[in-house]
Structures are given as C-alpha cells and as structure tokens.
Amino acid sequence: MENKTLTMKNLKDAVFADSFGRDRAGDFVVRRGFYYRNGGTAERFRDQVAAQLESAGIKFTVVNCGEHWAPFRGGASTRNSSHWYVTVAAA
C-alpha cells in the first residue's frame, strides 16, 4: 500500500467524524459529537481515528486527544457541543 500524505481531503476520505478543522498550529482536528457517552472515551475515539488513518495508508502523528463537555444547546455546532477530539499532524 502506498503512503499518502496527510491532507484535509485524505483525512475526510479516511475518517468517520462529525467535524474536521485546523488549529492555530496548523494541525488537523477531528471531532465526534455525543449526547450520551455510552462508554465512549477520548482514547477510544483516538484509537479509532488512528486505525482508520493507518488502514488508509496515511502517515500521521497524534498530537493530542480529549473531551469537551458543554450543556446541550439545540442547533449548536459540533465544536460548541459535547465532543471528543483528536489532533493529528503529518509525520
């Protein structure tokens, strides 16, 4: 399998998530929103993102992962709602 570089297009094609963006450092941020955790964790989401990127042959480095909790607000974006996030950079 050929190695691909980490670009926004390759990231969106490879990873199942609710939101994609970039942070101030230029790294990619992938988010998945939740209302109930149902046993989910930021580490589990990080592992899922890493597995999807590896299976797509994309070279990457995980920079950070975590959880953002916010009270429910109907119509709010994923970024402003409760979500798990993973920050990845090109390797």
Side-chain angles (χ1 to χ4, degrees):
M1 174 179 278
E2 91 181 54
N3 284 334
K4 300 178 187 175
T5 58
L6 184 63
T7 63
M8 186 63 77
K9 181 184 181 327
N10 289 344
L11 185 65
K12 286 181 178 182
D13 290 344
V15 176
F16 173 74
D18 296 325
S19 172
F20 299 89
R22 292 190 97 135
D23 63 6
R24 292 178 190 217
D27 298 328
F28 297 95
V29 180
V30 181
R31 295 179 179 91
R32 181 177 297 158
F34 64 86
Y35 185 75
Y36 292 111
R37 288 185 184 96
N38 292 327
T41 64
E43 291 74 23
R44 182 179 289 172
F45 182 53
R46 177 198 62 208
D47 294 344
Q48 291 171 352
V49 169
Q52 291 170 351
L53 290 173
E54 287 171 1
S55 69
I58 298 173
K59 297 169 103 178
F60 69 97
T61 302
V62 174
V63 177
N64 193 8
C65 75
E67 175 180 303
H68 171 77
W69 184 88
F72 176 74
R73 292 175 47 158
S77 67
T78 303
R79 183 177 185 166
N80 294 323
S81 301
S82 295
H83 65 273
W84 297 296
Y85 63 88
V86 177
T87 306
V88 293

